[in-house]
Amino acid sequence: MDIIWRERELSYFTEDDDAAVARRSLELLARDEYDVLVSYQQGYDEWLHQTQPRSPECLAEMRRHIDDFVRLASAARQRWAGRPHALAFLPDHGSHIDPATGLGTHGEDIPEDMELTHFWAVNPRG
Ligand SMILES: [Zn+2]
């Protein structure tokens, strides 16, 4: 995910795992040096390719991603109180079961992979 913006004048922080991503995101939020923070986690995707989209492992990762988002969103709302801001929870792709392997995958031009729900909270007054 972070390679999308490589070669641009941005700061990149690539971490070893999702817990480190959450910690780094909270740290960056507290430092308040950036106008945009993108915090990408990949636990669901890793389990997707080893199991299936709604496996217990995938659902546990999805819940963890939501919990981390709630923590980040709460910290952002406190940090940016009084300033216009937007929060977004944006899955980067959907998933389906590969009939050849029986495992989860993505990247095809099909509704399961392409049609996503994105969640926005726009606070124009802060
Ligand atoms: Zn993947």
Side-chain angles (χ1 to χ4, degrees):
M1 177 72 177
D2 71 335
I3 62 173
I4 291 173
W5 294 297
R6 292 285 171 172
E7 309 301 324
R8 296 180 189 242
E9 195 171 322
L10 300 169
S11 299
Y12 297 92
F13 304 90
T14 301
E15 306 299 336
D16 290 335
D17 57 40
D18 288 349
V21 169
R23 284 192 304 274
R24 173 76 74 178
S25 299
L26 288 167
E27 171 197 321
L28 293 173
L29 188 58
R31 286 175 24 194
D32 203 17
E33 297 174 349
Y34 298 97
D35 293 327
V36 176
L37 293 177
V38 175
S39 180
Y40 179 78
Q41 298 191 331
Q42 62 186 33
Y44 177 90
D45 193 72
E46 288 178 1
W47 278 109
L48 169 69
H49 292 287
Q50 299 174 58
T51 62
Q52 293 187 341
R54 289 180 171 74
S55 71
E57 294 86 353
C58 279
L59 295 179
E61 288 298 311
M62 179 192 70
R63 288 184 194 99
R64 194 177 51 70
H65 293 324
I66 293 168
D67 289 346
D68 283 347
F69 177 77
V70 168
R71 283 192 306 135
L72 284 169
S74 176
R77 284 190 179 107
Q78 289 180 356
R79 187 67 180 160
W80 297 333
R83 288 187 280 171
H85 64 270
L87 306 171
F89 187 94
L90 310 171
D92 58 339
H93 56 75
S95 61
H96 69 277
I97 297 171
D98 181 342
T101 64
L103 300 173
T105 191
H106 55 84
E108 294 187 24
D109 189 9
I110 58 175
E112 295 91 332
D113 288 3
M114 301 295 290
E115 295 178 5
L116 308 172
T117 301
H118 288 170
F119 303 90
W120 284 87
V122 177
N123 190 338
R125 291 183 186 84

